[in-house]
Amino acid sequence: MDDSDDWLAPDKFQHILFCFSLTIVFSLLASKTRYPILRRLSIFFGSVVSLAAGAAKEVADELEFFKSAGASFKDAVADLVGIGLAVLLLALSKSLSLRSKPDQPGKVPGLEIV
């Protein structure tokens, strides 16, 4: 592993953006499926797919499939930051959509801070 790369290197932004995008896309796809368990766990599903893709990229870097200095702890952290930001956005979105539909039976309205 090569940890000499900078925390603010452009590739860290690419890792954040890539994992953020994968988490959003796969979470939204899972939320539209006909399977209730995938709809309920859509954010978790999107996060796991994104984390697996990020981990696979780091393994491929370490095995020298790409022209890079090898796997990087900082790249893995950037992947987690992207996933975390996407989870926050999706959870906030889900919370706001629940609050806007309080009349639906079986739905728990979101908390309101006054």
Side-chain angles (χ1 to χ4, degrees):
M1 281 194 173
D2 181 23
D3 287 326
S4 63
D5 58 344
D6 189 21
W7 278 105
L8 300 177
D11 85 305
K12 302 305 175 274
F13 178 71
Q14 293 169 348
H15 278 269
I16 291 170
L17 190 60
F18 180 72
C19 284
F20 177 86
S21 301
L22 279 183
T23 303
I24 297 289
V25 167
F26 282 100
S27 294
L28 292 176
L29 287 173
S31 71
K32 302 297 181 194
T33 186
R34 65 182 176 149
Y35 302 107
I37 190 154
L38 273 180
R39 285 194 309 265
R40 258 192 323 272
L41 299 173
S42 63
I43 296 174
F44 176 76
F45 177 76
S47 300
V48 168
V49 170
S50 181
L51 185 62
K57 168 68 168 79
E58 292 308 308
V59 168
D61 281 347
E62 189 63 24
L63 296 174
E64 298 177 355
F65 285 122
F66 303 109
K67 292 180 182 177
S68 73
S72 167
F73 173 74
K74 293 175 183 176
D75 288 348
V77 170
D79 291 342
L80 291 173
V81 168
I83 293 168
L85 290 172
V87 167
L88 285 173
L89 180 70
L90 289 165
L92 180 63
S93 172
K94 189 179 259 189
S95 173
L96 291 175
S97 72
L98 286 176
R99 240 192 286 174
S100 67
K101 303 174 191 174
D103 299 324
Q104 291 183 346
K107 296 276 185 171
V108 178
L111 293 176
E112 192 167 306
I113 300 174
V114 180

